[in-house]
Amino acid sequence: MATAVASQVAVSAPPGSDRGLRSSGIQGMNNLCFGNKSWIGATLAWESKAVPPRHANKVLCMSVQQASKSKVAVKPLDLESAKEPPLNTYKPKEPYTATIVSVERIVGPKAPGETCHIVIDHSGNVPYWEGQSYGIIPPGENLKKPGAPHNVRLYSIASTRYGDSFDGRTTSLCVRRAVYHDPETGKEDHLKDGVCSNFLCNSKPGDKVQVTGPSGKIMLLPEEDPNATHIMIATGTGVAPFRGYLRRMFMEDVPKYRFGGLAWLFLGVANTDSLLYDEEFTSYLKQYPDNFRYDKALSREQKNMSGGKMYVQDKIEEYSDAIFKLLDGGAHIYFCGLKGMMPGIQDTLKKVAEQRGESWEQKLSQLKKNKQWHVEVY
C-alpha cells in the first residue's frame, strides 16, 4: 500500500463540542435516550421523560417532516434501481478518463498537513454506491517498473451516488497530501512524497484523471431497515464514507430511503483545524438532534479520563455502555481510517467487555456473523 496518510484504503476482511450520551441519559438497562426519543435496543420509541442532551438549548429542534422540506432533490432516480452494487466497471488496464471539477483545501492553518476535497466528473459513466472506493492511477512512469504506469491507489468515496452536484455525474474524494520528512533532518524530501495524493491535491479544474472501480462491499450502507442504528468511527480522512452515509440520510431527498434511525459519528483528528466536514455534520445535529450524534476526539486539544491525549478509542470507552447496548440491539458499527487505529480500539472494546463479564472474542464473532461489523483501514 502507499503511504498511510492519504485516504487510500485496503479493505480488510472483518477481523478484528463533544455532544455524546452521558450516563445520566441512560434510563434503565434497555433505554438509550437522545433528544426526545428513547432507543430501546435498536428500536425507536417515544420517551417524554428523556434527559435532554447538553446541546438542547443551542439548537432549534425540527420534526423530521419539517426538516425534510429542506432536503435536496436528487436525480436520476434509476440509480436506486440496481439490486447489486456496481463492481470494477473499469479495470486498471482500461481505466475511465474523468475530469477534475474542483480541489479545495478543507482544513485550517493549524492543521498538521493538508487535506483536500476533490470533486471528479465521471459523466455518470462510473456509478457507485455509498461506502465504495475509486481507484486512481496517477500520471507518469512507475519507477519500480520502468515503462509501466503507476499502481492503482484506492480512495474511499466521500459522496453519495448522486455526488455533490446531486445529479449522479460526479464523485468526491477526501485526500490528505502525503509529504515525506527525513527522520534525521526533519526536512521534506519531495522525491519521496506520495505520488497520487500530491497529483490529486495539485490538480486544477479541467485536468484529466484515470479512474478504476468502483470497488468494495464491506462498507456498503445496509438500507433494509431505515430505522437501524449506525455507529461510525473514523480517524482523519477515514470519515469519507461516513460523509456519504450522512448526506444520504439527512441531506438528500431519496424516496427509497427515509432514514428514521440513529447515526452516531465519532471523529478523531489532531485539533479543531483538522476537523473535516464539521459544518455539514453540525448542521445535521441542529436539524436532526433525535437521529444524529456527533463526538469528536481532538488528540492535541482534549484530555481523556486518565489525563492523556484524547483518541477515538477513549471516546469509545467513555460511551462504552451505550455502544454495547446498541450493538446488543442490532446496531451496525463501522471503522475507517489509519490501520493503526484498530489495535487500540480492539483493546478498549476487549477491556470494556471483560468489565461487563463478557467475552470480547465471542461478541466479536457474533457481530461478524450478524454482519454488524464493518472495517476498512489503510
Side-chain angles (χ1 to χ4, degrees), residues 228-256:
T229 295
H230 304 274
I231 303 168
M232 299 162 279
I233 298 163
T235 57
T237 56
V239 77
F242 306 141
R243 178 184 185 254
Y245 295 176
L246 295 170
R247 286 172 76 90
R248 187 163 174 84
M249 291 172 178
F250 300 125
M251 181 179 287
E252 297 179 343
D253 184 12
V254 183
K256 177 187 174 185

Side-chain angles (χ1 to χ4, degrees), residues 17-18 26 37 46 54 62 126 139 143 181 214 294 306 313:
S17 188
D18 300 328
I26 301 177
K37 295 180 182 178
W46 292 105
R54 286 176 291 166
M62 304 171 70
V126 196
L143 297 180
H181 291 84
Y294 179 29
S306 302
Q313 60 263 33

Side-chain angles (χ1 to χ4, degrees), residues 44-320:
L44 183 64
W46 292 105
E47 173 62 73
S48 60
K49 297 181 180 179
V51 176
R54 286 176 291 166
H55 64 281
N57 295 326
K58 300 179 182 179
V59 301
L60 175 63
C61 295
M62 304 171 70
S63 70
V64 173
Q65 290 77 13
Q66 287 174 313
S68 65
K69 292 180 182 178
S70 64
K71 285 191 173 183
V72 180
V74 292
K75 61 180 181 180
L77 290 179
D78 57 13
L79 289 177
E80 304 290 329
S81 60
K83 300 300 181 184
E84 295 292 330
L87 287 171
N88 301 313
T89 307
Y90 289 89
K91 298 177 172 58
K93 290 186 177 180
E94 295 182 347
Y96 179 79
T97 301
T99 304
I100 298 290
V101 175
S102 62
V103 177
E104 177 188 3
R105 177 187 169 102
I106 55 171
V107 292
K110 296 181 181 179
E114 180 181 23
T115 301
C116 294
H117 180 74
I118 299 166
V119 179
I120 298 172
D121 183 355
H122 60 81
S123 299
N125 294 314
V126 196
Y128 55 88
W129 283 9
E130 297 74 22
Q132 290 191 300
S133 300
Y134 263 8
I136 302 293
I137 304 176
E141 183 179 88
N142 190 333
L143 297 180
K144 295 182 179 179
K145 299 178 181 178
H150 284 291
N151 294 331
V152 174
R153 271 70 164 185
L154 290 177
Y155 292 86
S156 296
I157 294 172
S159 54
T160 73
R161 66 193 71 184
Y162 298 100
D164 287 6
S165 54
F166 308 106
D167 60 4
R169 297 178 60 86
T170 68
T171 190
S172 300
L173 305 179
C174 180
V175 180
R176 178 167 178 176
R177 185 190 293 274
V179 178
Y180 178 82
H181 291 84
D182 186 284
E184 294 184 1
T185 65
K187 295 182 179 179
E188 293 183 10
D189 183 350
H190 293 300
L191 294 177
K192 297 181 180 179
D193 286 348
V195 173
C196 197
S197 66
N198 280 273
F199 158 66
L200 288 170
C201 291
N202 290 335
S203 294
K204 301 292 188 292
D207 287 353
K208 300 302 179 183
V209 57
Q210 301 296 305
V211 171
T212 70
S215 63
K217 296 180 73 174
I218 197 168
M219 293 291 285
L220 294 176
L221 179 65
E223 297 188 358
E224 296 83 2
D225 179 7
N227 294 324
T229 295
H230 304 274
I231 303 168
M232 299 162 279
I233 298 163
T235 57
T237 56
V239 77
F242 306 141
R243 178 184 185 254
Y245 295 176
L246 295 170
R247 286 172 76 90
R248 187 163 174 84
M249 291 172 178
F250 300 125
M251 181 179 287
E252 297 179 343
D253 184 12
V254 183
K256 177 187 174 185
Y257 187 55
R258 304 291 191 185
F259 182 68
L262 172 66
W264 193 351
L265 174 64
F266 291 85
L267 176 57
V269 295
N271 55 22
T272 300
D273 270 21
S274 303
L275 288 169
L276 304 172
Y277 310 113
D278 185 60
E279 188 174 332
E280 277 189 27
F281 302 151
T282 301
S283 72
Y284 303 147
L285 198 60
K286 291 178 180 178
Q287 286 187 301
Y288 300 94
D290 298 334
N291 301 93
F292 182 51
R293 306 295 300 183
Y294 179 29
D295 279 276
K296 310 166 193 178
L298 308 178
S299 61
R300 299 188 185 181
E301 294 180 3
Q302 297 174 332
K303 300 295 184 183
N304 61 24
M305 290 183 287
S306 302
K309 291 184 176 181
M310 176 69 79
Y311 293 108
V312 72
Q313 60 263 33
D314 299 310
K315 279 293 178 186
I316 293 172
E317 183 174 10
E318 190 175 342
Y319 301 121
S320 57

